[in-house]
């Protein structure tokens, strides 16, 4: 009887920890990956461990993964695109279904869940989101011959989508600037990671 009660307490504690991690405060120093990892190094929700697992699984370096998430959502679990306005002033629907850390669209997220079997994955959970980014970049690399370290082109394909990227669309100057900024962030993160803990 005592063992059964203890199991229930452990289960409830785990569920509460997961729920709290999903609505955690975004990191305060998003341009410093060491600080981002330090702020999210909990037992249940360790961002560095999650990013490293995704790197091992998909071969996409941690700095590339983290720079993509940083550019997409600023590490905010509840990030959403802006709403359209009805009659010019009434908040209406969001401009796309993108949401969460990775800003994954509904259809692409469903494809990820189907192909990985990770049906419980949530876009508001960092570990799932960074795994999604690794999966997406890995498929881009395999399909279009982009190096897994080529943040610029990986991000272009991420932002534009596989169909547009496959047709040779590389976006306008604004999108290319986004991709360059993401590439620079990945290089900055790589340099910072070499110094973490020193």
């Amino acid at each position: 009887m005592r063992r059964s009660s203890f199991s229930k307490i452990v289960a409830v504690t785990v569920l509460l920890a997961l729920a709290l991690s999903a609505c955690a405060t975004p990191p305060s120093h998003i341009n410093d990956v060491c600080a981002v990892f330090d702020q999210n190094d909990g037992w249940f929700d360790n961002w560095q461990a999650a990013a490293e697992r995704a790197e091992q699984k998909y071969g996409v370096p941690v700095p590339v993964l983290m720079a993509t998430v940083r550019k997409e959502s600023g590490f905010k679990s509840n990030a959403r695109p802006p709403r359209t306005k009805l009659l010019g002033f009434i908040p209406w629907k969001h401009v796309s279904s993108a949401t969460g850390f990775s800003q994954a669209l509904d259809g692409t997220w469903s494809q990820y869940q189907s192909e990985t079997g990770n049906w419980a994955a949530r876009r508001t959970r960092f570990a799932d989101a960074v795994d999604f980014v690794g999966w997406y970049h890995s498929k881009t690399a395999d399909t279009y011959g982009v190096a897994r370290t080529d943040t610029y082109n990986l991000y272009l394909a991420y932002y534009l989508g596989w169909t547009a990227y496959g047709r040779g669309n590389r976006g306008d100057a604004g999108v290319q600037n986004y991709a360059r900024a993401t590439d620079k962030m990945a290089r900055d993160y790589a340099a910072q990671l070499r110094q973490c803990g020193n």
Side-chain angles (χ1 to χ4, degrees):
M1 188 70 161
R2 194 180 300 167
R3 188 181 218 173
S4 175
S5 296
F6 178 74
S7 296
K8 288 177 183 173
I9 291 168
V10 169
V12 169
T13 303
V14 168
L15 289 173
L16 283 172
L18 290 173
L20 288 171
S21 70
C23 57
T25 305
S28 43
H29 301 290
I30 63 174
N31 295 326
D32 180 347
V33 73
C34 300
V36 169
F37 285 153
D38 284 347
Q39 191 173 333
N40 296 278
D41 65 350
W43 198 58
F44 291 110
D45 193 28
N46 187 307
W47 286 18
Q48 184 167 5
E52 288 171 354
R53 279 195 305 273
E55 178 182 51
Q56 289 167 4
K57 195 184 211 179
Y58 301 108
V60 180
V62 167
V64 178
L65 299 169
M66 295 300 288
T68 303
V69 176
R70 185 255 181 262
K71 196 64 175 170
E72 286 295 288
S73 66
F75 299 114
K76 294 175 185 163
S77 64
N78 61 350
R80 294 291 305 269
R83 290 182 179 275
T84 55
K85 303 280 186 182
L86 185 64
L87 304 175
F89 66 95
I90 301 170
W92 197 238
K93 297 176 181 177
H94 289 281
V95 295
S96 84
S97 63
T99 191
F101 286 110
S102 62
Q103 290 296 281
L105 299 170
D106 288 350
T108 317
W109 188 258
S110 294
Q111 181 183 349
Y112 160 75
Q113 290 180 305
S114 176
E115 290 188 11
T116 62
N118 191 3
W119 294 106
R122 298 189 318 270
R123 286 175 277 187
T124 54
R125 184 169 180 262
F126 180 81
D128 294 333
V130 78
D131 191 77
F132 169 86
V133 172
W135 168 83
Y136 196 101
H137 284 340
S138 178
K139 285 180 75 72
T140 297
D142 292 344
T143 305
Y144 301 108
V146 177
R148 283 168 165 76
T149 54
D150 182 353
T151 311
Y152 178 80
N153 277 292
L154 290 173
Y155 187 77
L156 281 180
Y158 193 91
Y159 186 92
L160 297 167
W162 287 316
T163 302
Y165 189 85
R167 286 194 196 121
N169 182 351
R170 296 300 180 262
D172 58 20
V175 172
Q176 290 168 19
N177 284 338
Y178 252 60
R180 272 191 286 274
T182 308
D183 178 60
K184 182 182 183 307
M185 184 58 62
R187 285 184 278 112
D188 289 348
Y189 278 177
Q192 291 164 6
L193 281 170
R194 288 192 287 270
Q195 302 300 317
C196 284
N198 291 350

